Amino acid sequence: MHTIDTSRFVNNTLSVRALVPLEEDTITGWNVLVWMMRSATERWPDRQSFSEALGRAYAMHVRAGLTGYGSRAGVEVVFEWIRPALIEEPDYPGQVLEIMEQVLFHPDLSPQRFEEACWMIRSRLLRQQEDPDTAAVLAALAAGGADTPLAVSISGTLEGLDRVTLEEVRDLWHTWRSMPKGIYAVGQLSPAILDFVRDLPQAELTGFSHQPLAAPAKPYRVVSARDIMQTSPVQGYTTGITLADPESAALLVLSSILGSGQKSLLFEEIRERHSWCYAISCSLIRFDGLLLITAGTRRRHLEELQAAIAAQIRRIREDDYPQSLFEAAILDLTDGICARQDFPSSQIETAFQQDLLSMHRTQQEQLQRLQAVTREQVRAVADRLTLAVTSIVQEESEHEED
C-alpha cells in the first residue's frame, strides 16, 4: 500500500486497481463490469438509492474505470470522501466504510443492471463513432497498431456488446475480486479505514515490461467520408521511445515544441500563420511510443496541411526553430510536474507509474532530468519519428464557406 499522508486536501482519495490483459475478447466485458460497479450495489440496488447513500455520506464520490498501459488495462475503483476530522458526526466513518465494502465486494450484478450498463455503453460508443475526431483517432490506432494491444479500444466495441453475457461479466468480477491490488491513498485515513484497506489482497505492481510500437514497412492510410462540415485528419508517428527509456524526457520536450505545449510550431505556423485548420495539436501515447497529431480542417486544405506538418517536423530535425519555443517547452513541462502536487489523482497516478516501471524519481530529480534536455537531444529524437499511419474522416463534398 502506498500512502501519501497529508492534510493539504479536504478530501481523502483512495485508489484500488489491478492490471488485466488488454484484449479484444474481454475489454467490452470489463467496461460493462466497471459501469455496474460504480452504479449500484446489493445494499443500494439502483442508481437513485446509491446516489442517495453517497449524498448522506457528505457527497462521497465513487468512480470506476479503465486505463490502458501498453499491453495491460488498469481496472480501477476510486473513492473520495471528506476527511472525518472535518465532520462532527460519529457515524460518518462507518458510512464511508459501508460504501467501500459494498462497492468492492457486493456490486449489483443483476440482469437489470447488466441491461442498463449495456445500453449506456452502447450509447457512448455510438456517440464516439458519430464524432469525426474520435472516429479518426480510433481508426488510426486500429490501423497503426494492427495485431498489437494498441488496436484494442479501451472503451470496448459494439461488436463486443453484441457478444458479451452476464455470466462473462460475473466471471470477470470474480477474477478482479481475487486479484491482488495496488492500493494508493492521499490524505489522512482513519484507523478503521486503514484496517479495512490492509485486509484487501495486495501486491506491488512492479516490473512491468512494455515495448514501443514498431514502425511499419509502409505507412497505413485509412480514409472515410461522411456528411460533415469539416475534415478530421490524424497522423501517428512511431518514436521507438517509451517512458522507461533515457530519451523520454527529450521526447516530451519535442512533443511540446511541436504541438502539445501552450506555444508550438503546429499551432503558430499552420493554424495562426496560414489558417489551414481550425485546431491542431499533438499528444503522446507514452507506453506505446506513439506520437499523434490531430487537426480539424477542410478537405481542400488536406494536402497543404500534411505538407506543413512534415515541414515542422523537419525544422526540429534541422534544429531550425526559435530558442523561445524550446525554453517555453521546458517551462511548460516544469509547471506540469509541479502542478501534479495540486491534485490527489495526479499524485496517485505518478506513484503508480513509478511503481509499475520500477523507476522512482523525486520531484526534484524529475525537474533536473527535464532541465538537462538539450536541443541536440531533441533533434536526435526527431530523427527517430517515422510516419506509421494517416487516418482521415472527411467531408463527402466541399461545403461553401460561411
Side-chain angles (χ1 to χ4, degrees):
M1 179 176 175
H2 188 123
T3 302
I4 301 172
D5 187 20
T6 178
S7 60
R8 180 180 179 185
F9 305 106
V10 171
N11 283 353
N12 288 331
T13 303
L14 176 70
S15 167
V16 180
R17 65 177 79 190
L19 289 177
V20 301
L22 179 54
E23 298 172 336
E24 188 74 36
D25 290 343
T26 57
I27 190 61
T28 303
W30 284 116
N31 274 274
V32 174
L33 175 60
V34 297
W35 194 94
M36 296 174 76
M37 289 177 67
R38 68 174 183 245
S39 301
T41 72
E42 293 175 1
R43 173 73 173 80
W44 302 289
D46 57 72
R47 296 172 71 186
Q48 180 176 342
S49 61
F50 186 52
S51 295
E52 290 172 352
L54 294 173
R56 288 192 296 271
Y58 290 86
M60 182 178 177
H61 292 281
V62 174
R63 302 192 305 274
L66 297 161
T67 305
Y69 300 96
S71 63
R72 302 286 175 179
V75 184
E76 180 186 29
V77 179
V78 178
F79 302 97
E80 292 181 359
W81 70 101
I82 297 175
R83 286 190 289 117
L86 304 177
I87 302 293
E88 296 181 359
E89 184 175 322
D91 293 339
Y92 174 59
Q95 292 176 303
V96 171
L97 273 174
E98 184 179 21
I99 290 171
M100 288 183 177
E101 196 269 343
Q102 281 285 305
V103 171
L104 292 176
F105 297 111
H106 303 286
D108 182 6
L109 303 182
S110 66
Q112 294 84 355
R113 294 288 77 73
F114 174 74
E115 293 297 327
E116 184 180 22
C118 289
W119 188 90
M120 295 294 291
I121 293 169
R122 186 178 300 276
S123 298
R124 182 184 68 195
L125 292 173
L126 288 171
R127 289 195 301 271
Q128 288 182 350
Q129 287 192 353
E130 292 167 358
D131 177 59
D133 294 338
T134 303
V137 169
L138 292 176
L141 298 182
D147 300 321
T148 76
L150 184 63
V152 180
S153 173
I154 196 70
S155 300
T157 65
L158 291 171
E159 295 78 12
L161 274 179
D162 292 335
R163 296 190 303 265
V164 71
T165 65
L166 178 56
E167 288 70 27
E168 291 171 359
V169 172
R170 287 173 173 170
D171 286 343
L172 292 175
W173 153 246
H174 288 297
T175 297
W176 188 85
R177 177 174 176 176
S178 63
M179 292 178 71
K181 314 294 193 305
I183 300 178
Y184 297 80
V186 175
Q188 294 183 323
L189 274 58
S190 65
I193 291 178
L194 277 172
D195 289 343
F196 172 80
V197 172
R198 286 168 178 158
D199 284 340
L200 299 175
Q202 299 183 41
E204 295 294 330
L205 305 178
T206 60
F208 178 77
S209 62
H210 61 296
Q211 297 294 326
L213 184 69
K218 180 181 179 181
Y220 297 97
R221 185 175 177 85
V222 184
V223 181
S224 63
R226 297 186 182 184
D227 184 16
I228 52 180
M229 295 297 294
Q230 73 173 48
T231 290
S232 298
V234 173
Q235 289 186 338
Y237 291 79
T238 59
T239 67
I241 298 167
T242 69
L243 275 170
D245 294 317
E247 302 93 341
S248 61
L251 179 59
L252 284 173
V253 176
L254 179 149
S255 176
S256 182
I257 292 169
L258 183 60
S260 64
Q262 294 187 20
K263 296 181 179 180
S264 69
L265 289 172
L266 293 179
F267 187 83
E268 293 185 359
E269 295 295 325
I270 300 176
R271 167 63 177 88
E272 293 296 286
R273 180 168 295 181
H274 295 289
S275 299
W276 284 330
C277 57
Y278 306 107
I280 189 166
S281 64
C282 73
S283 59
L284 290 169
I285 303 179
R286 297 169 69 184
F287 278 84
D288 298 278
L290 190 70
L291 183 145
L292 284 182
I293 297 176
T294 59
T297 186
R298 302 300 291 268
R299 198 175 72 174
R300 68 170 71 96
H301 295 315
L302 269 175
E303 187 174 337
E304 296 164 315
L305 176 66
Q306 292 176 86
I309 291 172
Q312 303 317 307
I313 293 174
R314 187 165 55 249
R315 289 180 65 185
I316 300 178
R317 287 174 174 157
E318 296 173 354
D319 197 28
D320 178 27
Y321 59 91
Q323 175 68 12
S324 60
L325 277 183
F326 178 82
E327 293 172 356
I330 299 293
L331 181 60
D332 201 31
L333 293 166
T334 297
D335 289 344
I337 291 173
C338 295
R340 293 175 195 164
Q341 302 305 309
D342 296 332
F343 303 97
S345 58
S346 297
Q347 292 189 37
I348 287 173
E349 185 63 25
T350 297
F352 170 68
Q353 290 190 20
Q354 289 189 344
D355 285 348
L356 197 61
L357 301 173
S358 300
M359 187 178 66
H360 297 89
R361 296 189 182 101
T362 65
Q363 177 177 296
Q364 187 59 34
E365 288 170 336
Q366 295 173 49
L367 293 172
Q368 290 172 348
R369 181 169 175 265
L370 174 64
Q371 290 160 0
V373 172
T374 65
R375 290 179 66 113
E376 172 56 28
Q377 290 172 331
V378 173
R379 187 205 61 75
V381 168
D383 279 340
R384 299 178 64 170
L385 296 181
T386 301
L387 180 62
V389 61
T390 298
S391 171
I392 302 169
V393 178
Q394 66 184 19
E395 307 142 271
E396 289 180 342
S397 59
E398 274 292 350
H399 297 273
E400 293 183 3
E401 295 287 350
D402 294 335

